[in-house]
Amino acid sequence: MATEKQALPDGFRYLPDHLDRAAQEVLVGEIRAVVAAAPLYVPTMPRTGKPMSVRMTNCGRLGWVTDKARGYRYQETHPATGKPWPPIPERLLALWQELAGFEAPPEACLVNFYDDTAKMGMHQDSDEAEFAAPVLSISLGDTCLFRIGGTERSDKAQSLKLASGDIVLLAGKSRLAYHGVTRTYPGTSTLLKNGGRINLTLRRVTPI
Ligand code: SIN
Ligand code: FE2
């Protein structure tokens, strides 16, 4: 639900309730299998080494990682296990085909897990070498307050509540829009038995 009466940024797509409960449940099962093979870990900020409040893992050929020594980047292996990331589940590839409007498949699916206190500061997704492809983002579990602004950090941002099953796309002119997660709302969903929120972000990393 949009909480302010302001047009959403150009190119930004908000698809509330895109996944029904049954589809969400199947997806959560698949993400549990991903997490079993590639455990959630605590990423740290470049230079400062400050831990992020969100825990992360990935599936796909490439995974987005960050740590104190080497900063933000994509790599082919899990930073703790050293193993290749598990593959992106078929239904996520199908969702990308349905919604992304981009000829090549995604190469990375970042899995973010938010507990009741986790949040994510305003940032741009700019570690990819292909900005013609959108970023496709799926929300599962508890509702969050998502902020979306413009392509300059100083641009005015607006808030959107993202609930389980909602999908947003940072596409076109909004591909490099600043965005973040201010907070989650504990107890707003029964999808995850221990609560919390999962966000899945599909991205194309390399040019075709
Ligand atoms: C992100 O920008 O990586 C996460 C966005 C979200 O959790 O909805
Ligand atoms: Fe992001």
Side-chain angles (χ1 to χ4, degrees), residues 28-44:
V28 167
E30 291 176 336
I31 296 307
R32 284 194 200 290
V34 165
V35 170
L40 291 166
Y41 70 96
V42 177
T44 54

Side-chain angles (χ1 to χ4, degrees), residues 36-39 58 60-61 75-86:
N58 289 270
R61 189 177 72 76
Q75 65 180 42
E76 291 181 359
T77 54
H78 189 290
T81 68
K83 291 201 239 169
W85 306 105

Side-chain angles (χ1 to χ4, degrees), residues 87-111:
I88 299 178
E90 280 299 328
R91 73 191 58 246
L92 289 177
L93 297 174
L95 262 182
W96 173 274
Q97 260 214 320
E98 174 193 339
L99 300 173
F102 191 76
E103 63 213 272
E107 296 165 296
C109 174
L110 175 65
V111 179

Side-chain angles (χ1 to χ4, degrees), residues 11-22:
F12 179 80
R13 288 173 65 202
Y14 167 47
L15 309 173
D17 286 326
H18 190 84
L19 300 175
D20 65 19
R21 174 74 183 211

